[in-house]
Structure formats: structure tokens, C-alpha cells
Amino acid sequence: MRRAILSILFFFCIIFCAWGQSSNFDSLYTACHQQYMGSNVEAAATMGDSVIEAAETDEQKIKSYILNSNIQQSLGNVQRAIKYATVGDRLAQLTGYNRWRAVFCKILATNFRELGLYEQSRSYLATAESMCNLLDDLDLKSDIQIELYQEQALYKMNTRSYRVALDMLD
């Protein structure tokens, strides 16, 4: 009898301990994001691939690709930033996450604009806008539209349409 009670107690302890712990992905993602936001981008970059490997769900994988793309862009590794964003965008497309497609397309538009590849930038900007229009969450849609509007103004400045850019920013 005593053995059965101890076994049951042990079983419930394991369940409560497992339930209270966050996943390996959550802890790695949080640590990496804190390093990135704390301007320790090099440390975040060393953790980045571990975050991708720890991702189990499609949404976790997508979030890890966004984080890695942003880290690589901050380091000036535009080629790797584009690689992570392209892989993430493809995953978001395959899984039907319009929200994340809008985010990835905005990231890609920024990277291509900064490289001077304006046609590709404009194409990704248009895709981001169309994905944004499919969103039902008005707050999220508004946040993404603000970022897209800023990106459009920067695009106009880079293509020497200064008047249009100023009008957009007013």
C-alpha cells in the first residue's frame, strides 16, 4: 500500500514538473532573443542555429527563421539573412500562415532594397501587402501596415522619388 501511494506521488510530481517547465525551444528562443535585443548580436548568432534545431512545430520554426534573419541582417550578413527569410517564407507559404508571410516578405523587401535590387524589393513589398490584406486581426494588420508603409517610403527614397516619400511620411 505504501509503495502504491509513493508511486502515485512520484507520478504526479513528474507530471507537475514537466507541466511547469517550458520547452527547450522556448528557453533557447528567449535566451537568443534577449542577447539580440541586448545588442550582443554575435552571441545571439552563435545560438541561432540551435534555436532552429530545437523548433518542433511549424510556427516555432517560422519564428526561429525570423529571429535568425534579423540577427544576420544586423551583422551585415545579407546573404544569410535572405537565406533564412526565404526558407521561412516558403514554410509560411506551405503552412498557410499569411501573417508570417507578410513579415517575411517585408524582411526580404528590406534586404533587397538595401542591396539596390529594387524590382525584387517591390515584388516582395507587393506580396507583403496582399498577405496583410488577408489578415483578420485588425491590430496585427495595422502594425504590419505601418511597417510596410515605412518600407514603401524608404523604397521611394532609394529610387529617388523624394517628393512621394515625403508625402508618404507626412
Side-chain angles (χ1 to χ4, degrees), residues 11-114:
F11 176 73
F12 281 116
C13 285
I14 290 173
I15 289 174
F16 286 125
C17 287
W19 194 5
Q21 283 185 332
S22 62
S23 72
N24 189 33
F25 171 79
D26 291 336
S27 59
L28 278 172
Y29 181 86
T30 301
C32 186
H33 192 265
Q34 286 175 342
Q35 292 293 328
Y36 173 64
M37 296 307 288
S39 297
N40 194 355
V41 183
E42 289 83 11
T46 60
M47 300 173 71
D49 288 331
S50 299
V51 176
I52 291 173
E53 290 173 13
E56 296 173 357
T57 67
D58 290 334
E59 194 157 12
Q60 287 176 342
K61 290 175 187 174
I62 288 169
K63 287 180 180 182
S64 65
Y65 284 120
I66 289 172
L67 180 60
N68 275 289
S69 182
N70 288 332
I71 289 169
Q72 293 303 319
Q73 185 178 8
S74 295
L75 289 172
N77 298 334
V78 180
Q79 183 179 4
R80 290 190 76 191
I82 289 172
K83 181 189 115 188
Y84 284 124
T86 303
V87 171
D89 180 49
R90 183 73 179 137
L91 180 58
Q93 183 179 15
L94 290 172
T95 55
Y97 285 114
N98 294 330
R99 167 192 182 180
W100 298 119
R101 279 223 60 213
V103 172
F104 279 119
C105 288
K106 189 266 180 201
I107 291 170
L108 288 164
T110 300
N111 283 315
F112 284 121
R113 176 185 51 79
E114 289 176 351

Side-chain angles (χ1 to χ4, degrees), residues 113-132:
R113 176 185 51 79
E114 289 176 351
L115 288 172
L117 301 170
Y118 299 120
E119 287 303 312
Q120 289 88 340
S121 176
R122 190 167 49 99
S123 172
Y124 278 109
L125 199 52
T127 304
E129 289 171 348
S130 65
M131 291 297 112
C132 189

